[in-house]
């Protein structure tokens, strides 16, 4: 799990990210481990303001951020996270 | 250890759903609500209303009262890939649940559609209506009052 996270965080795209956002993503990756899905969403919610501050996170970085979340979550919450994001997209017609 | 390549592939697919620009404000709340609903549906399923089994075609049938769009989605589900099938079935169940909830709301609406409730409803809404449109609300309320008086007169006349 940690190996995945390290590989992702070393990605070139993350180097252009604002330091506080990178720090937030590292925090999320660390704190989200072992969390249930409601706890995981509450945690993500608490970092939303930081993640949305300043410049919007570019597409590639957003992709890597999701990879960090997926690689840090346990199997069951990861599956729920994936399904929920797809469902929200289906119900809202995409963000 | 998770399959690193798979995680990256999934993340690439999912990032399309989040889209460009800011992360939508209600995204994580909506996702949390969806997972709650999914849990409710799962508990219904575990309670025996829709037994878990494979293949899904005969086991995820919509109820007899399900609207046609739900039935159409359910009919398509067996022909989809594993992950899409799961999402389609969940979407169908959510739509069925919404249809079920709406049917209750319609029943309640028929109960509160008496003139006196409409009057109170308009009175309650009046402070939040733009001032230049309040005359229209007042007029409607007056019409309702007159109609009520006429009904009473009519009832009294019939009882004589």
């Amino acid at each position: 799990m940690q190996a995945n996270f390290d590989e992702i965080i070393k990605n070139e795209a993350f180097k252009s990210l604002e330091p506080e956002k990178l720090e937030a993503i590292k925090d999320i990756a660390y704190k989200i481990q072992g969390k249930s899905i409601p706890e995981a969403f509450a945690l993500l919610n608490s970092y939303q303001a930081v993640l949305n501050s300043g410049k919007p996170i570019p597409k590639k970085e957003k992709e890597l951020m999701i990879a960090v979340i997926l690689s840090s979550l346990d199997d069951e919450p990861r599956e729920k996270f994936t399904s929920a994001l797809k469902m929200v997209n289906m119900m809202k017609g995409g963000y | 250890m998770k399959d690193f390549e798979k995680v990256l592939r999934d993340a690439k697919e999912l990032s399309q759903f989040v889209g460009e620009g800011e992360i939508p404000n209600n995204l994580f709340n909506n996702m949390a609500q969806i997972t709650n609903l999914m849990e409710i549906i799962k508990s219904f399923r575990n309670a025996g209303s829709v037994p878990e089994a494979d293949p899904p075609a005969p086991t995820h049938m919509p109820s007899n009262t399900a609207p046609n769009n739900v039935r159409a989605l359910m009919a398509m589900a067996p022909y989809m890939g594993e992950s899409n099938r799961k999402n389609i079935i969940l979407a169908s169940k959510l739509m069925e649940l919404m249809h079920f909830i709406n049917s209750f709301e319609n029943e309640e609406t028929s109960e509160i559609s008496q003139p006196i409730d409409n009057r109170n409803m308009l009175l309650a809404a009046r402070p939040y209506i733009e001032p230049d449109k309040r005359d229209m609300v007042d007029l409607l309320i007056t019409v309702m009052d007159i109609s009520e008086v006429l009904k009473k007169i009519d009832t009294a006349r019939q009882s004589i």
Side-chain angles (χ1 to χ4, degrees), chain B residues 10-21:
Chain B
D10 286 349
K12 189 168 190 171
E13 186 195 345
L14 290 173
S15 69
Q16 293 166 11
F17 300 154
V18 179
E20 302 283 343

Side-chain angles (χ1 to χ4, degrees), chain A residues 1 3-4 7-8 37 41 44-45 48 51-52 56-57 59 62-63 65-67 70-71 73 75 78-92 95, chain B residues 1-2 4 7-8 10-32 34-35 38-39 42 83 86-88 90-91 94:
Chain A
M1 187 185 294
N4 284 351
E7 283 183 68
I8 296 165
I37 198 71
F41 284 130
L44 289 167
N45 244 342
Q48 178 138 8
L51 295 174
N52 273 345
I57 302 177
K59 195 172 183 292
K62 213 175 264 179
E63 190 180 310
M65 191 183 81
I66 292 172
L70 292 181
S71 68
L73 282 170
D75 288 348
R78 189 174 74 250
E79 194 182 316
K80 286 179 180 173
F81 179 92
T82 305
S83 297
L85 192 49
K86 286 180 181 176
M87 291 286 291
V88 167
N89 188 60
M90 280 169 71
M91 294 179 90
K92 294 278 183 190
Y95 278 99
Chain B
M1 178 78 72
K2 294 181 183 76
F4 182 49
V7 165
L8 286 180
D10 286 349
K12 189 168 190 171
E13 186 195 345
L14 290 173
S15 69
Q16 293 166 11
F17 300 154
V18 179
E20 302 283 343
E22 284 192 348
I23 298 167
N25 276 336
N26 51 2
L27 177 64
F28 298 126
N29 279 334
N30 284 343
M31 286 173 73
I34 292 281
T35 46
M38 283 158 72
E39 287 301 312
K42 198 174 165 187
S83 63
K86 189 178 170 192
N87 287 329
I88 285 290
L90 284 168
L94 284 172

Side-chain angles (χ1 to χ4, degrees), chain B residues 48-159:
Chain B
S49 58
V50 185
E52 186 101 54
D54 199 35
T59 55
H60 296 285
M61 295 299 285
S63 72
N64 291 336
T65 56
N68 284 340
N69 53 357
V70 172
R71 286 163 180 269
L73 273 178
M74 286 290 210
M76 285 156 60
Y79 303 100
M80 299 187 162
E82 182 62 37
S83 63
N84 285 335
R85 185 166 61 208
K86 189 178 170 192
N87 287 329
I88 285 290
I89 290 169
L90 284 168
S92 312
K93 289 290 166 195
L94 284 172
M95 286 164 71
E96 201 175 342
L97 187 63
M98 289 306 292
H99 179 73
F100 183 64
I101 292 166
N102 285 340
S103 68
F104 273 113
E105 282 174 356
N106 289 341
E107 279 176 26
E108 284 165 11
T109 306
S110 64
E111 281 172 21
I112 61 163
S113 60
Q114 296 160 11
I116 192 70
D117 287 332
N118 283 339
R119 187 183 190 280
N120 284 336
M121 186 181 71
L122 283 171
L123 278 173
R126 194 181 179 281
Y128 309 104
I129 291 170
E130 288 173 24
D132 61 331
K133 290 183 180 142
R134 281 181 196 161
D135 284 350
M136 191 84 85
V137 175
D138 292 339
L139 183 64
L140 267 173
I141 291 169
T142 309
V143 169
M144 281 176 183
D145 288 345
I146 292 170
S147 157
E148 193 63 20
V149 170
L150 287 174
K151 262 188 205 167
K152 281 178 183 168
I153 292 171
D154 199 37
T155 311
R157 193 182 292 160
Q158 282 173 8
S159 65

